[in-house]
Amino acid sequence: MNKGNLDLIIPDWPAPANVKSAVTLRTGGVSDGPYESLNMALHVGDDGERVRKNRQIVNTQLKLPSEPVWLDQVHGNGVTRAERGLVRPRFDASFTEESGIVSAVLTADCLPLLICAADGSRVAAVHAGWRGLLAGVIGNTVATFPGRDLLVWLGPAIGPECFEVGSEVREAFLSKSESSIEAFKVGRNGKWLADIYQLARSELAGLGIARVYGGNFCTVTEAGRFFSYRREPVTGRMATLIWRE
């Protein structure tokens, strides 16, 4: 892994000029072993000092206005306001209308979403695995915005050819919305292949949100760029960040 070369994904979406965002990849940090090299998570077994160094590298590179609000993600549907001084609140999404506050989520196959108001007045970051999607974490986050004139960007997640689920997962989504049927195709040995991006788009369409961007990654197959829990159960996490200037 190429340490010292910090690569980032800067979302390609027509967000207002005051809205800034980025996604870290797995290169450019100081972690070793399965966490090599830019692991951003303290909860996965990596050396804490190295994680803090990785975070400082990213803070410096992006010139972040403050330390990101790191969540204690629980694969639920809870949403909190991102504020200075919060210490790992147990939520899966955060939002803010305050300038200089950085909302962040950590992922390694689950879907990170960025949301912003079209006028740049509010932003949010969402961690959406299939459980969170099913539980309504996207809808709960959208509900924190005063209106529905929103832009959404879908970040790096497990691709539709790699996300194998049981029939119970498919049935749960179909029970919630019949439009979810488009997100599943027959896999092997009685399993289904799920398209987590399509599940998110279906949810957003039901909420009246049409301007959705991104969603063309695969964390499992792009091993040189992304951490993947499904590929390697002991691994690091990428960070997806958004803030207002």
Side-chain angles (χ1 to χ4, degrees), residues 162-229:
C162 297
F163 191 19
E164 192 175 69
V165 300
S167 58
E168 73 283 357
V169 174
R170 178 177 179 268
E171 291 304 318
F173 275 101
L174 293 181
S175 295
K176 180 181 178 181
S177 172
E178 292 184 358
S179 65
S180 295
I181 196 169
E182 299 175 3
F184 295 91
K185 67 179 184 180
V186 176
R188 299 173 296 175
N189 302 319
K191 298 289 188 177
W192 294 85
L193 290 173
D195 186 340
I196 200 168
Y197 292 119
Q198 181 58 37
L199 288 170
R201 290 187 182 101
S202 177
E203 177 88 0
L204 290 163
L207 294 166
I209 299 169
R211 287 187 286 176
V212 182
Y213 307 88
N216 55 353
F217 308 95
C218 180
T219 49
V220 177
T221 58
E222 297 181 69
R225 302 179 77 201
F226 304 122
F227 295 111
S228 168
Y229 180 80

Side-chain angles (χ1 to χ4, degrees), residues 56-71:
Q56 186 56 52
I57 289 169
V58 172
N59 290 359
T60 301
Q61 176 82 8
L62 290 174
K63 299 179 181 178
L64 294 181
S66 61
E67 178 67 16
V69 177
W70 303 107
L71 304 174

Side-chain angles (χ1 to χ4, degrees), residues 12 31 37 55 90 106 153-154 233:
D12 183 13
S31 293
S37 66
R55 290 181 174 184
R90 291 175 62 82
L106 297 167
W153 185 78
L154 308 179

Side-chain angles (χ1 to χ4, degrees), residues 80-96:
T80 189
R81 184 184 300 275
E83 297 177 313
R84 286 184 175 85
L86 283 182
V87 180
R88 292 195 66 198
R90 291 175 62 82
F91 294 92
D92 283 273
S94 69
F95 70 91
T96 184

Side-chain angles (χ1 to χ4, degrees), residues 14-36:
N18 71 312
V19 174
K20 305 300 179 183
S21 56
V23 182
T24 66
L25 304 183
R26 68 177 301 172
T27 53
V30 299
S31 293
D32 283 325
Y35 311 107
E36 190 175 5

